[in-house]
Each structure stands twice: as structure tokens, then as C-alpha cells.
Amino acid sequence: MVEKSMSPFGELAPKTPASLSDIKKNIYGRYLEEFNVGDIYVHPRQFTVDRSFAQEFATVFMDANPLYLSSEYAKAHGFQDLLVHPLMVFNLALSIGVQNNSEKALANLGYYNAQFLMPVYPGDTLSSRTKILAVDDKGPDKPGIVSVRTLCLNQKNEVVLQYERKIMIYQSNGKPKGNPKPGDASAFFPESKTPALKLPNLKFPTEMKDVTWGHTYFENFKPGQIYVHQNGRTITDEHYQWTYRVGNTHPLHYDKLYSAGISGPMGGEPVVYGGLVFGWLAGMASRDISENAIWELGFTEGYHTQPAFSGDTVTCISRILTTEDKGTEYGIPAGEVQIQFIGLKNIKANDALDKFGADLFLKENDKKKLGKEKIPEKIFEIERRLIIKKQP
């Protein structure tokens, strides 16, 4: 223990003339030419996820799965405690890396090959690090594309999440650069092309079957089904604080002066951080889709096709692609369900399906070659894969 006597200190500013000869203007983020293939960035900051933070995320983002809400339910299924929501883990991992990866980005182009590998519990401390996979430089007048792989580690340096994304970034073109910490190709980076899923020995407490409704077990899902989720969620200025609560430092999401200086569809008002949009959409779908899921395996090929802003109301639709009975491979009777997940804004999901029909399920980037128009109300598309338990 350090003990030191304290006394009041006097005011100095009125007696100290201001000098403008030594001004510091720290600049964060990287421009395209500052990325090198093979570099590994060990991102600053860590987050310890306490119980109140974990439960607040699950409730604010409207998730109905009791694994994220009830420690008793989670423990009865074989977990140590209630689970930290996978999209909270994803948002923290991505956001911690923004200062190194994408604080100068024009847009996040997509998520790829996300795999949730281990449970995260309240009290766990998360950090992340990123490897540069490719840099596609299209010249000084066009934004290039940086492809990255990010690992999220717990306090034991175990990988709990691995995913990739593509980021659109301009060259500096004479703009002042910062002084980011250089990448280190030799830094610890336990990536794997075939990572292992590590779950506890799961249990099936039939006495808790009434904690969930009975229409979201594995047997209820059939390929070809389309679930039109009935509720929407109006996003308010709450997204400012949630952007920083998960650690995202890109000013596009909370700085109106910055946003006003951007031209095009991303300019004007701050854009809602896409990871939050994903969270709200997934939560709204949970009563129909994932209430009885025991694990989110991950997602692939996900895109934010339009920005969302404060005041927008988001809605969603799910299409069942495949179902695969896994017997007791996970310790309890369960199967895997792969889902195409569509996010919309400012249109009811029922009306969107009536208006656009099967075109909703075409990738927006494929529309041009198919001779079709993009759907301005469509803001998100991704495929998810869930482990869902069978009926008791």
C-alpha cells in the first residue's frame, strides 16, 4: 500500500501564458498503404464482461434464449454459468480492433467464416488481435479492400471466436497520418483452418421445458420454411452509447461533425454501427428461431447492404436452408439448422415479402448481373448455423 499526505494544489492556468508552438493532434486508424500482408496487430484494451453487462446486452437486444438470461437454466444444461451472448462477443472482438483495422474505413464490406469456439461466461476478459490477409490496392483515386482475420481470446489465451472481414479504405492522398503501433508478423496468433469447437458435456433438463415455448425445437424446422418475424425495433440515439459500450471508436457512428463531412449515403447523420443492427435483428428473430438453440456455430457471407440511422425501424425474415440431425453428437439429442437471415428497415416484414417476394433472398451484389434492381429497404443479409435441441 502507498500512503502519501495530500494538500490542495493551486490554480496555474491564469498565470501560465498559452504557447501555440507545441500542439499535439493524435490521429488514429490506418490508410490503405499502411497495411502489410502478414502483419499482426495486438489491439489495445481488454474488456471484462461482468454479469450485469452480459444480461443488459441480451435484454436490450431482445434475445429470448434463456442461456443468456438465466444462470440456473444454463447450468442445468451443463454450462458453468449463463452464457455471454455470441453477438456481444463478436461486437467486442470487432470493436476492440477498430482503432487498428478500420477507424479510417469508408465501409465494412462483409463478415466471413465466423466460428464461435468456446463459451464465454460473466467474469471472462476478452481481447482481440488481427492478421492482414490481403490488400487490394485499386489506385489512389479509388478505395481499396483490406481482408483481415480476427481472433478473440479469453484471459487464458484460448480462442473463443475466429472470423474474417473485408474493409473498404482509401489511400491517404496527402491527408495527415497517425503513428499507429507497427504490426508484428511474429506475434502470438493461434489461428486454425479447422478450429475445434469446445463445449461442456451438455445435459437436457426436461423439468425446465416450460422455460421456453415448444415451437422452436429442431423438429419444428424444415428446409424451405420462411419465418416472417412480426415485431420491429425502432433504433434511437441509444446506438451512440452502445457503440462505445462495446468499444467501437469509429467516429462515423457517434460524431455528427464527422458524419456531416461525408458525402454519399453514409454521410449526414451518424450511421448505426452494423454489429448493433445485427444484434437487434437476431434478437427479434429469437422467439421464432433460436429460443431452444444450445449454440450459435457461426455465420458466413454477411453484408450490410444499406446503412441504418437513428429513427429507422428494423425488421427481419429467416429462411430455413438445411436441417441436419446430429443424434447425440453434442451430448444431448440435437440437430444443426442453417438459416438465411434478412434484415430490413422502415417496412414491415409482411409487407416486404408481399412486395419483393423471392427477390428478397437474392444477394444484393448479384442483382446487377441478374438484371434486377437492388432493394433499398434491405439492409442486411447473412447465413447463420445453429445447434438446436430436440423436443423432450
Side-chain angles (χ1 to χ4, degrees):
M1 176 183 292
V2 176
E3 290 189 18
K4 181 181 178 182
S5 61
M6 298 292 290
S7 59
F9 57 90
E11 188 179 38
L12 296 178
K15 301 175 183 179
T16 305
S19 171
L20 303 183
S21 63
D22 189 7
I23 296 174
K24 307 294 185 185
K25 296 181 180 180
N26 290 332
I27 298 172
Y28 298 97
R30 284 177 163 86
Y31 289 104
L32 186 71
E33 67 269 26
E34 298 179 275
F35 292 90
N36 299 299
V37 174
D39 273 357
I40 295 171
Y41 304 136
V42 180
H43 303 307
R45 289 177 289 281
Q46 299 178 335
F47 278 74
T48 298
V49 184
D50 64 24
R51 181 176 304 276
S52 62
F53 193 15
Q55 288 186 301
E56 185 182 12
F57 185 95
T59 53
V60 166
F61 289 86
M62 306 173 65
D63 208 284
N65 190 322
L67 289 176
Y68 314 129
L69 304 168
S70 165
S71 59
E72 293 304 311
Y73 182 90
K75 288 176 182 177
H77 281 74
F79 295 101
Q80 293 177 25
D81 200 344
L82 64 84
L83 296 177
V84 176
H85 197 293
L87 283 177
M88 184 177 191
V89 176
F90 175 73
N91 272 292
L92 288 170
L94 189 155
S95 297
I96 291 170
V98 166
Q99 180 173 307
N100 270 321
N101 299 338
S102 57
E103 197 162 325
K104 288 285 186 284
L106 177 66
N108 177 63
L109 294 181
Y111 313 122
Y112 306 86
N113 304 320
Q115 296 166 305
F116 296 96
L117 303 174
M118 289 184 65
V120 175
Y121 299 110
D124 282 349
T125 297
L126 302 180
S127 61
S128 70
R129 49 192 63 199
T130 293
K131 182 178 183 179
I132 307 305
L133 303 179
V135 179
D136 183 5
D137 188 341
K138 302 179 183 296
D141 298 327
K142 295 181 179 180
I145 298 173
V146 179
S147 300
V148 306
R149 178 178 295 127
T150 294
L151 305 182
C152 182
L153 308 177
N154 64 17
Q155 65 275 15
K156 299 177 182 178
N157 276 337
E158 299 167 320
V159 180
V160 300
L161 165 65
Q162 176 174 303
Y163 70 92
E164 297 171 11
R165 70 179 180 130
K166 292 183 179 180
I167 309 161
M168 180 182 289
I169 306 178
Y170 274 105
Q171 293 185 20
S172 61
N173 292 325
K175 295 178 182 177
K177 300 179 185 178
N179 186 28
K181 182 180 177 181
D184 180 2
S186 65
F188 176 67
F189 196 79
E191 63 185 326
S192 174
K193 292 183 179 179
T194 55
L197 172 63
K198 298 178 182 178
L199 293 178
N201 294 322
L202 297 177
K203 303 173 185 178
F204 201 147
T206 55
E207 69 275 10
M208 285 193 165
K209 63 182 178 63
D210 292 333
V211 177
T212 61
W213 279 25
H215 61 285
T216 57
Y217 289 106
F218 174 75
E219 294 93 335
N220 295 108
F221 298 105
K222 307 295 180 187
Q225 291 173 334
I226 294 174
Y227 284 79
V228 184
H229 308 299
Q230 294 301 298
N231 287 351
R233 173 63 151 83
T234 300
I235 300 172
T236 70
D237 285 353
E238 67 195 306
H239 77 90
Y240 295 144
Q241 70 176 40
W242 273 103
T243 296
Y244 234 81
R245 288 210 72 187
V246 297
N248 192 319
T249 57
H250 199 309
L252 178 66
H253 305 307
Y254 54 82
D255 181 343
K256 288 188 177 184
L257 295 178
Y258 180 94
S259 301
I262 296 176
S263 60
M266 303 294 280
E269 291 293 312
V271 175
V272 181
Y273 161 46
L276 303 181
V277 175
F278 188 4
W280 275 307
L281 293 170
M284 287 189 297
S286 62
R287 290 192 298 179
D288 295 332
I289 297 295
S290 58
E291 189 177 34
N292 277 301
I294 54 173
W295 193 252
E296 178 111 26
L297 284 165
F299 40 85
T300 185
E301 292 285 335
Y303 306 95
H304 296 283
T305 56
Q306 296 286 345
F309 300 92
S310 180
D312 284 345
T313 298
V314 295
T315 59
C316 54
I317 295 175
S318 296
R319 181 167 71 113
I320 307 304
L321 300 173
T322 63
T323 60
E324 186 176 351
D325 192 327
K326 289 295 181 178
T328 57
E329 184 177 322
Y330 294 108
I332 61 174
E336 295 181 10
V337 180
Q338 188 151 329
I339 301 160
Q340 184 182 16
F341 190 44
I342 303 299
L344 305 153
K345 71 174 182 178
N346 301 328
I347 186 171
K348 292 181 178 180
N350 291 319
D351 295 341
L353 190 61
D354 290 342
K355 182 176 180 179
F356 302 111
D359 284 358
L360 275 175
F361 305 102
L362 299 175
K363 283 187 175 182
E364 292 301 283
N365 286 343
D366 293 341
K367 293 282 180 69
K368 185 175 181 180
K369 66 183 179 183
L370 295 172
K372 294 180 177 290
E373 295 292 325
K374 290 186 176 183
I375 297 173
E377 293 94 336
K378 184 177 173 183
I379 61 171
F380 188 60
E381 55 189 10
I382 207 166
E383 289 189 25
R384 338 166 42 188
R385 195 169 180 91
L386 304 172
I387 304 172
I388 300 178
K389 62 186 181 182
K390 292 183 179 179
Q391 291 175 334

